[in-house]
Amino acid sequence: MGEKYMRAFLTAVAMILCLISAVQAIQGNAVFYGPPPYLPSACYGNQRNGIMVAGVSDALWQNGRACGKRYRVKCIGGANKAPHPCKNGRTVVVKVVDYCKAGCQGIINLSRDAFSTIADPDAGIVRVELNEIRV
């Protein structure tokens, strides 16, 4: 009988964790910049940080506290009339290295490499869901 209760308890915990992670998801528009190298950056100057990087707008910037945060990004739809903008089910993990100044068309400005992993660059702007990855 103990095993049955333990299984039910673990199932309930898993469901609660799924709900909590869904609540923490952020949705907004994503655009891209490029080509590499993605320098200089507001967070790290001329230090190279790879190609899976992003700049964030005021919505996520937090006066620079966003520097170094990692987000799992998934395309969830088009933000314009581009046909089939998303690469279904694909996600990408990016590191925040830059600030997307006023006039940025999204909450996150992905490197061209990151954007093309989850969406068709010809779409130009897509709707995304972001989940912060805490290490």
Side-chain angles (χ1 to χ4, degrees):
M1 198 160 16
E3 183 179 334
K4 186 176 181 180
Y5 288 113
M6 180 59 80
R7 189 174 298 147
F9 173 75
L10 291 175
T11 300
V13 168
M15 292 172 76
I16 290 169
L17 289 174
C18 286
L19 288 173
I20 289 171
S21 66
V23 170
Q24 294 176 350
I26 302 164
Q27 292 186 359
N29 288 342
V31 294
F32 68 89
Y33 63 102
Y38 302 109
L39 299 171
S41 73
C43 297
Y44 304 106
N46 286 315
Q47 177 182 334
R48 292 183 185 267
N49 288 284
I51 59 174
M52 297 305 183
V53 294
V56 294
S57 71
D58 288 326
L60 300 172
W61 181 244
Q62 301 174 331
N63 293 320
R65 289 190 307 275
C67 290
K69 286 187 178 183
R70 295 186 185 278
Y71 287 96
R72 181 173 309 283
V73 185
K74 180 179 181 178
C75 181
I76 57 173
N80 55 31
K81 303 222 185 259
H84 313 292
C86 297
K87 294 182 178 176
N88 289 339
R90 303 279 314 261
T91 64
V92 65
V93 174
V94 294
K95 177 181 177 181
V96 175
V97 300
D98 212 353
Y99 174 60
C100 187
K101 298 171 183 63
C104 184
Q105 296 180 13
I107 62 169
I108 192 163
N109 191 0
L110 300 169
S111 65
R112 184 177 181 93
D113 299 276
F115 190 95
S116 64
T117 299
I118 62 167
D120 179 357
D122 290 338
I125 184 169
V126 294
R127 300 275 307 146
V128 293
E129 181 175 275
L130 311 168
N131 287 289
E132 184 179 346
I133 298 173
R134 299 198 177 150
V135 190

Short mmCIF file of all heavy atoms in Angstrom, two decimals, residues 3 5 14 35 38-39 45-46 62 71 79 96 112:
data_model
loop_
_atom_site.label_atom_id
_atom_site.label_comp_id
_atom_site.label_asym_id
_atom_site.label_seq_id
_atom_site.Cartn_x
_atom_site.Cartn_y
_atom_site.Cartn_z
N GLU A 3 3.67 1.84 -1.57
CA GLU A 3 4.14 2.15 -2.92
C GLU A 3 3.06 2.89 -3.72
O GLU A 3 3.36 3.82 -4.47
CB GLU A 3 4.52 0.86 -3.64
CG GLU A 3 5.09 1.10 -5.02
CD GLU A 3 5.48 -0.20 -5.72
OE1 GLU A 3 5.78 -1.19 -5.03
OE2 GLU A 3 5.48 -0.19 -6.96
N TYR A 5 0.73 4.91 -2.53
CA TYR A 5 0.66 6.30 -2.05
C TYR A 5 1.86 7.11 -2.53
O TYR A 5 1.74 8.27 -2.88
CB TYR A 5 0.55 6.35 -0.53
CG TYR A 5 -0.80 5.91 -0.03
CD1 TYR A 5 -0.93 4.75 0.71
CD2 TYR A 5 -1.94 6.66 -0.31
CE1 TYR A 5 -2.17 4.34 1.17
CE2 TYR A 5 -3.19 6.26 0.14
CZ TYR A 5 -3.30 5.10 0.88
OH TYR A 5 -4.52 4.70 1.32
N ALA A 14 4.89 16.16 -9.55
CA ALA A 14 5.26 16.42 -10.95
C ALA A 14 4.26 17.37 -11.60
O ALA A 14 4.65 18.28 -12.34
CB ALA A 14 5.34 15.11 -11.73
N PRO A 35 25.31 39.65 -38.76
CA PRO A 35 25.89 38.33 -38.53
C PRO A 35 26.96 38.37 -37.44
O PRO A 35 27.31 39.45 -36.96
CB PRO A 35 26.51 38.01 -39.89
CG PRO A 35 26.97 39.34 -40.40
CD PRO A 35 25.91 40.32 -39.92
N TYR A 38 29.04 38.79 -32.62
CA TYR A 38 28.04 39.63 -31.97
C TYR A 38 28.71 40.52 -30.93
O TYR A 38 28.55 40.32 -29.73
CB TYR A 38 26.94 38.74 -31.38
CG TYR A 38 26.30 37.86 -32.43
CD1 TYR A 38 26.51 36.50 -32.46
CD2 TYR A 38 25.49 38.42 -33.42
CE1 TYR A 38 25.92 35.70 -33.44
CE2 TYR A 38 24.91 37.65 -34.40
CZ TYR A 38 25.13 36.29 -34.41
OH TYR A 38 24.55 35.51 -35.38
N LEU A 39 29.48 41.47 -31.44
CA LEU A 39 30.28 42.35 -30.58
C LEU A 39 30.11 43.80 -31.02
O LEU A 39 29.85 44.05 -32.19
CB LEU A 39 31.77 41.98 -30.69
CG LEU A 39 32.14 40.57 -30.27
CD1 LEU A 39 33.58 40.29 -30.64
CD2 LEU A 39 31.92 40.36 -28.79
N GLY A 45 31.28 43.81 -23.31
CA GLY A 45 32.17 44.54 -24.20
C GLY A 45 32.55 43.72 -25.41
O GLY A 45 31.69 43.22 -26.13
N ASN A 46 33.85 43.55 -25.65
CA ASN A 46 34.35 42.82 -26.81
C ASN A 46 34.65 41.36 -26.53
O ASN A 46 35.28 40.69 -27.35
CB ASN A 46 35.58 43.52 -27.39
CG ASN A 46 35.18 44.79 -28.12
OD1 ASN A 46 34.21 44.78 -28.89
ND2 ASN A 46 35.89 45.86 -27.87
N GLN A 62 16.26 44.74 -16.52
CA GLN A 62 16.43 44.94 -15.07
C GLN A 62 17.73 45.68 -14.73
O GLN A 62 18.51 45.22 -13.90
CB GLN A 62 16.38 43.60 -14.32
CG GLN A 62 15.10 42.84 -14.52
CD GLN A 62 15.13 41.47 -13.89
OE1 GLN A 62 16.19 40.85 -13.76
NE2 GLN A 62 13.98 40.99 -13.48
N TYR A 71 17.98 31.72 -21.22
CA TYR A 71 16.57 31.48 -21.49
C TYR A 71 16.43 30.38 -22.53
O TYR A 71 17.18 30.34 -23.50
CB TYR A 71 15.89 32.74 -22.04
CG TYR A 71 15.67 33.82 -21.01
CD1 TYR A 71 16.57 34.86 -20.86
CD2 TYR A 71 14.54 33.80 -20.19
CE1 TYR A 71 16.38 35.86 -19.93
CE2 TYR A 71 14.33 34.79 -19.24
CZ TYR A 71 15.25 35.82 -19.12
OH TYR A 71 15.04 36.79 -18.18
N ALA A 79 4.29 36.81 -35.97
CA ALA A 79 3.89 38.15 -35.52
C ALA A 79 3.52 39.01 -36.72
O ALA A 79 3.18 40.17 -36.57
CB ALA A 79 5.02 38.80 -34.73
N VAL A 96 21.99 35.94 -22.28
CA VAL A 96 21.81 37.38 -22.44
C VAL A 96 23.17 38.05 -22.32
O VAL A 96 23.86 37.93 -21.30
CB VAL A 96 20.84 37.95 -21.38
CG1 VAL A 96 20.76 39.47 -21.49
CG2 VAL A 96 19.45 37.33 -21.53
N ARG A 112 21.24 35.90 -35.04
CA ARG A 112 20.66 35.27 -36.23
C ARG A 112 20.75 33.75 -36.13
O ARG A 112 19.83 33.03 -36.53
CB ARG A 112 21.36 35.77 -37.49
CG ARG A 112 20.73 35.21 -38.76
CD ARG A 112 21.37 35.77 -40.02
NE ARG A 112 20.73 35.23 -41.19
CZ ARG A 112 19.72 35.81 -41.83
NH1 ARG A 112 19.27 36.96 -41.41
NH2 ARG A 112 19.20 35.24 -42.89
#
